[in-house]
Amino acid sequence: MRVLGFMTGTSLDACDMAILETDGETIFAFGPAGERKLSEETRDLALAATKAAMDWPRGAPEPEVFATAAAAVAREHFEAAEGFLAANGLGWSDIDLIGMHGQTVLHERPQDGRVGRTVQLGDAQWLADATGTPVAYDFRTADVAAGGEGAPLAPIYHLARARAAGLSAPLGVLNVGGVANITFWAGGDEIAAFDTGPGNGMIDLLMQSRGAGRFDEGGKYASVGQVDEGVLRGLLGHAYFEAPPPKSLDRYDFPMEPLEPLRLEDAAATLTAFTAEAVRLGCEGMGGTPSQVVVCGGGRHNPTLMAAMAERLSAPVTTAEDHGWRGDSIEAEAFAYLAARTLRGLPISFPKTTGAPAPMTGGRIARPST
């Protein structure tokens, strides 16, 4: 199948797109990849939905803004893909299946005997009707309902991508998005994964809250700041780091208040160190030592963060591009791959990746109405 995968991350920066030719097991070919920045209107709606989700009591009706934001996200995907396909000499008739992750506005991990909650917004039925193409979506809900973490979901694709590139186990694949997650491939089909801690999300929130832009471009603020060791120790004292994997996070799970007394540069340096130190702790808890850690996601563009991780990790740190991967497109590729698996009824989450009780298929398919 020729599958178009979409991903919009919690950074609310862009709609990423990638095409794979795959049956959900083997990757036969890599098609084009690209992105389109999110419109301010959609970004504002997603932020409003996220705020509403954080205040949403369990058992209460969904906030009204969810439906409005879901419609806007679907339109954003459609418009982004229209230009992307045309630029690559393709049309919707060339696409057999779409994988749409949707915009995450809520992710609560299970704790104290209570199942988690996860919400990804995007009107999949509208998109299927608009494109005339089946859409795989809602990849996380079934896993969460079964008691799993619902994240991370990319590990099975990380395994396929590593094999396609001829890489060998033991291997770590680290995605640094709003949250950072790592996949550990021990060999054979054995993979384990979990969220290590914050990725870019807290740094982005810091920059935005102080009117310094959406993110610390090139790590320039962190590069001239001083790490506040006391604040760093306090952040690392969070109960999340005591919990055994598999485990997952939302970008808002750690407090920003300890950073308030610090000047911007020092706060950025401290949060950058926090991300790197959390990755180190995660690598130490994987149950094995990788021969290298391959970094993908937006965080690899931050040289200050990459240097901090290289300094702390015992394994060599490489980038996706070092191995011929498209580092900005890995998650879009992953949801193309997961869409194919969903259509075929193959598992997308596993006990050692999300804590699900058994390998789970997950995902739903919206088919065109006409």
Side-chain angles (χ1 to χ4, degrees):
M1 292 177 287
R2 182 181 282 169
V3 190
L4 169 62
F6 287 110
M7 181 65 188
T8 57
T10 54
S11 64
L12 292 172
D13 178 46
C15 179
D16 296 328
M17 298 163 281
I19 292 175
L20 290 185
E21 293 183 22
T22 181
D23 60 1
E25 295 180 276
T26 302
I27 303 169
F28 297 104
F30 294 91
E35 68 166 28
R36 194 182 85 156
K37 299 299 182 184
L38 293 182
S39 67
E40 288 297 327
E41 177 187 10
T42 299
R43 189 171 182 275
D44 289 345
L45 277 169
L47 286 170
T50 300
K51 184 179 185 304
M54 294 172 71
D55 298 330
W56 178 32
R58 285 178 178 252
E62 284 191 354
E64 291 183 5
V65 71
F66 279 16
T68 307
V73 168
R75 287 195 304 272
E76 190 91 29
H77 282 58
F78 178 79
E79 291 169 5
E82 286 268 281
F84 168 69
L85 292 173
N88 288 284
L90 300 169
W92 289 113
S93 61
D94 297 304
I95 303 300
D96 300 308
L97 178 66
I98 295 168
M100 179 178 69
H101 173 265
Q103 182 62 51
T104 296
V105 297
L106 178 69
H107 188 79
E108 295 176 351
R109 68 185 307 260
Q111 55 185 344
D112 301 325
R114 186 176 67 178
V115 298
R117 290 194 300 176
T118 191
V119 177
Q120 287 73 44
L121 298 179
D123 189 334
Q125 188 60 58
W126 182 92
L127 187 61
D129 292 340
T131 62
T133 307
V135 177
Y137 71 108
D138 193 21
F139 294 96
R140 302 185 189 273
T141 301
D143 184 271
V144 168
E149 298 275 340
L153 291 183
I156 188 64
Y157 179 67
H158 291 161
L159 173 59
R161 189 66 188 87
R163 283 175 165 163
L167 297 181
S168 302
L171 180 73
V173 179
L174 176 69
N175 177 65
V176 184
V179 168
N181 58 73
I182 194 160
T183 299
F184 179 57
W185 176 31
D189 293 329
E190 186 179 344
I191 52 172
F194 58 95
D195 289 347
T196 60
N200 308 311
M202 292 184 74
I203 304 170
D204 294 350
L205 290 172
L206 170 73
M207 304 304 291
Q208 293 160 20
S209 70
R210 301 206 186 180
R214 289 189 182 173
F215 61 101
D216 185 10
E217 186 171 1
K220 65 179 181 180
Y221 285 94
S223 68
V224 296
Q226 297 294 318
V227 175
D228 188 303
E229 296 294 343
V231 171
L232 177 59
R233 284 194 300 273
L235 291 169
L236 290 166
H238 193 282
Y240 181 79
F241 297 108
E242 298 297 323
K247 52 186 177 178
S248 65
L249 283 168
D250 185 271
R251 68 186 299 208
Y252 298 100
D253 281 350
F254 296 101
M256 296 294 293
E257 290 79 9
L259 286 305
E260 290 176 0
L262 306 183
R263 68 186 185 113
L264 176 58
E265 293 83 355
D266 297 341
T270 301
L271 287 178
T272 300
F274 182 33
T275 292
E277 188 64 14
V279 170
R280 183 188 69 80
L281 293 172
C283 286
E284 289 183 353
M286 287 191 303
T289 302
S291 59
Q292 63 179 311
V293 175
V294 182
V295 184
C296 52
R300 78 191 194 290
H301 293 307
N302 183 332
T304 308
L305 176 58
M306 290 293 289
M309 292 191 295
E311 180 182 347
R312 287 169 168 80
L313 301 188
S314 57
V317 176
T318 60
T319 68
E321 284 73 15
D322 290 334
H323 306 285
W325 300 13
R326 303 182 294 197
D328 288 322
S329 305
I330 294 295
E331 289 206 312
E333 291 175 7
F335 282 96
Y337 186 78
L338 293 175
R341 293 182 71 84
T342 294
L343 188 67
R344 293 189 58 204
L346 298 172
I348 63 173
S349 62
F350 306 85
K352 287 188 176 182
T353 62
T354 67
M360 296 195 61
T361 53
R364 293 193 282 166
I365 303 289
R367 298 183 183 277
S369 300
T370 56

